[in-house]
Amino acid sequence: MKVKVISRSADEFTRERSQDLQRVFHNYDPNLRTQEKAVEYVRALNAAKLDKIFAKPFVGAMDGHIDAVSCMAKNPNYLKGFFSGSMDGDIRLWDIATRKTVCQFTGHQGAVRGVTVSTDGRILVSCGTDCTVRLWRVQDPTRIESDEVFENPAKPMETYVWKNAFRAVDHQWDGNLFATAGAKVDIWDQNRSQPVNSFGWGSDTIISVRFDPGDPNVLATSGSDRSIALYDLRMSSPARKIIMQTRTNAIAWNPMEPMNFTAANEDCNCYSYDARKLDEAKCVHKDHVSAVMDIDFSPTGREFATGSYDRTVRIFPYNGGHSREVYHGKRMQRVFCVKFSCDGSYIISGSDDTNLRLWKAKASEQLGVLLPREKKKHDYLEAVKKRYKHLPEVKRIIRHRHLPKPIFKAAALRRTMEDASKRKEERRKAHSAPGSITTRPLRRRKIIKEIE
């Protein structure tokens, strides 16, 4: 018995709609596509122009402090949470998504100069000019209701009173120890009321302290005597020290290359060093026109953000001499602290005008959920821009940044002064005996001496 079956293809009787996406297969034979490079160049040019049109980096401001924001810390256990401390003694836990205060930590009688969080995100350590170190228990921010925050501010678990005021604090990675900077570098245990160890090298104040994320026993400090020092907790004395021409305000370790760190200096520059070879900087990052106050690396380690006294936030590639982005606002005053978010998508800056500001790490990045087609298009345009970025027109558009007039004029003045000093050096060398004057490169010039 023969059975006949009627079969139909859905494509033959289904009506074609305008939303249907037909897959087109391209033939990439260069003989057939003679204008491909010209077309790609125009696409790169248009992509660079569109980036400038859609570059709106400022997301929003977070207000609540009544004095200048002096320090910030990320919560490693909670992506959206970060802490800020101000000069009025107030510490707040913020939610980046809602841009609101989740919890307040009140107790300091003077300015809060340093905050840090343990690696598990459960304990917050703060220190300040009131000569106290306070330990706070951090609750899960998702469980704290917003209407309970101001009625029940958090109380400190422990309060340790010491002999001198503190300038900075940092917690050890995956450990119970934390270090405070003041008259000396003091190493504390969370469970003990006195330091377990103290390091001193000279009689000057220590300004900042940072633990190495790769080696929990190594830490770097900067002092008011223009020094950068390395300490090892396994040794009874400091390891190495360099003296620079100007003071270093902050230090940040590269999370992906733990032997490298970058120092934010008073001379408007940042200097990247290899901890194993301190007699020369690996790279000099310059674009600021006033003292660089704070620095923080992206979680990827490929770039870092700096905040400066010139009222701007800049983003530098880790191995580039000039910034790829500069952020500024009409009302933003001197930037004292800056931090990348834990996922590297945002930058938070705290300034003298009591506000915290949230910025996009990529100024023209589209917020929200992207469709696969949109993501592919963004990736393609980025690849095209990267391919043609060396051509003059594309390069000019990509590099252009609008600056406030005072900063633009100050930058022009700095360039004039640098050119004048360079000409003076060349003339001095030309009118001296051959070999009597040696010019030190900029990477070595700022270092006066190294002490071991």
Side-chain angles (χ1 to χ4, degrees):
M1 180 179 174
K2 189 181 284 187
V3 177
K4 290 184 178 180
V5 178
I6 299 173
S7 64
R8 291 191 298 178
S9 172
D11 296 335
E12 292 176 2
F13 66 87
T14 306
R15 187 177 176 183
E16 187 177 347
R17 294 171 295 180
S18 59
Q19 291 90 354
D20 288 346
L21 294 175
Q22 302 296 332
R23 192 171 182 183
V24 180
F25 295 92
H26 290 287
N27 187 343
Y28 292 106
D29 184 1
N31 296 322
L32 297 176
R33 303 163 65 87
T34 54
Q35 297 296 314
E36 181 63 19
K37 284 192 176 179
V39 169
E40 278 196 342
Y41 170 73
V42 172
R43 285 175 183 164
L45 203 61
N46 290 339
K49 290 176 182 176
L50 286 171
D51 263 6
K52 293 296 169 195
I53 292 171
F54 293 116
K56 292 180 172 57
F58 181 65
V59 178
M62 292 170 272
D63 57 343
H65 288 295
I66 57 174
D67 208 341
V69 181
S70 55
C71 53
M72 288 194 299
K74 291 179 276 195
N75 188 344
N77 202 31
Y78 186 58
L79 185 67
K80 299 189 296 179
F82 75 98
F83 298 88
S84 66
S86 77
M87 301 296 275
D88 63 345
D90 186 24
I91 303 170
R92 288 174 182 246
L93 170 60
W94 300 86
D95 189 323
I96 294 179
T98 59
R99 300 203 294 275
K100 290 183 179 177
T101 302
V102 175
C103 186
Q104 268 186 296
F105 304 87
T106 56
H108 280 281
Q109 303 300 316
V112 180
R113 299 312 300 261
V115 288
T116 186
V117 189
S118 60
T119 316
D120 59 6
R122 294 178 182 174
I123 293 177
L124 169 71
V125 183
S126 64
C127 66
T129 55
D130 57 355
C131 306
T132 62
V133 175
R134 296 173 191 261
L135 273 63
W136 316 76
R137 186 171 300 284
V138 180
Q139 297 181 15
D140 184 358
T142 56
R143 297 178 184 173
I144 302 177
E145 298 295 331
S146 58
D147 54 351
E148 295 177 8
V149 170
F150 298 104
E151 296 173 3
N152 302 312
K155 301 296 181 186
M157 290 167 43
E158 301 288 345
T159 302
Y160 304 144
V161 182
W162 198 232
K163 305 168 188 173
N164 51 267
F166 297 103
R167 297 291 298 268
V169 65
D170 192 40
H171 203 284
Q172 187 184 32
W173 290 72
D174 290 329
N176 291 326
L177 302 180
F178 61 91
T180 56
K184 289 183 177 181
V185 179
D186 296 316
I187 311 298
W188 303 71
D189 191 305
Q190 292 178 1
N191 305 315
R192 302 184 66 174
S193 60
Q194 288 192 342
V196 295
N197 202 351
S198 291
F199 294 103
W201 197 340
S203 57
D204 289 273
T205 305
I206 308 297
I207 300 170
S208 68
V209 59
R210 279 287 178 271
F211 272 100
D212 185 351
D215 188 347
N217 293 308
V218 174
L219 58 104
T221 65
S222 65
S224 56
D225 59 348
R226 313 187 307 279
S227 68
I228 298 174
L230 294 177
Y231 298 85
D232 194 329
L233 301 185
R234 294 161 294 193
M235 299 168 60
S236 58
S237 60
R240 304 174 76 187
K241 184 179 185 180
I242 56 170
I243 308 291
M244 299 188 69
Q245 289 184 0
T246 45
R247 194 176 76 176
T248 297
N249 288 320
I251 290 173
W253 292 88
N254 189 330
M256 292 291 117
E257 299 172 358
M259 74 292 291
N260 297 337
F261 65 89
T262 304
N265 207 273
E266 283 275 338
D267 65 356
C268 316
N269 297 337
C270 296
Y271 299 91
S272 291
Y273 290 97
D274 189 329
R276 301 164 297 186
K277 189 173 181 290
L278 290 177
D279 60 341
E280 181 182 27
K282 285 169 66 74
C283 187
V284 180
H285 314 272
K286 47 187 182 180
D287 264 345
H288 281 294
V289 296
S290 190
V292 188
M293 302 303 292
D294 198 16
I295 182 170
D296 188 49
F297 265 95
S298 164
T300 61
R302 308 300 292 177
E303 57 189 15
F304 59 86
T306 58
S308 172
Y309 215 70
D310 61 10
R311 307 190 295 280
T312 62
V313 175
R314 288 183 184 266
I315 305 172
F316 290 85
Y318 79 107
N319 57 356
H322 295 278
S323 60
R324 73 160 176 85
E325 201 63 80
V326 54
Y327 297 154
H328 52 83
K330 285 185 178 179
R331 296 177 180 85
M332 186 161 75
Q333 296 302 312
R334 298 164 298 196
V335 182
F336 288 149
C337 47
V338 65
K339 282 278 184 286
F340 262 98
S341 63
C342 290
D343 61 350
S345 302
Y346 298 96
I347 293 170
I348 305 109
S349 66
S351 54
D352 202 13
D353 56 7
T354 75
N355 280 345
L356 292 111
R357 288 176 173 82
L358 189 64
W359 312 84
K360 290 191 282 187
K362 292 180 182 174
S364 56
E365 186 179 27
Q366 184 178 341
L367 295 179
V369 180
L370 291 180
L371 296 172
R373 286 176 59 225
E374 289 178 316
K375 193 171 186 313
K376 279 184 182 177
K377 185 185 179 185
H378 286 315
D379 293 343
Y380 172 71
L381 292 180
E382 283 296 323
V384 169
K385 277 194 299 179
K386 190 175 180 181
R387 184 176 183 181
Y388 292 97
K389 67 181 179 181
H390 63 283
L391 296 177
E393 193 65 18
V394 179
K395 185 178 181 181
R396 183 185 66 83
I397 295 170
I398 289 176
R399 287 184 58 186
H400 177 75
R401 294 289 179 276
H402 171 73
L403 287 174
K405 193 178 283 185
I407 296 170
F408 182 80
K409 287 184 175 179
L413 183 61
R414 274 185 64 81
R415 283 195 297 272
T416 306
M417 292 164 63
E418 286 173 3
D419 292 342
S421 65
K422 199 177 292 182
R423 283 197 305 271
K424 184 177 180 180
E425 190 70 28
E426 288 172 357
R427 287 171 184 164
R428 183 180 291 160
K429 188 183 284 188
H431 291 85
S432 303
S436 61
I437 294 181
T438 56
T439 305
R440 298 179 70 199
L442 182 61
R443 293 184 297 173
R444 289 176 179 266
R445 201 182 306 158
K446 298 293 182 179
I447 301 171
I448 298 175
K449 63 178 177 178
E450 183 181 3
I451 308 169
E452 290 195 20

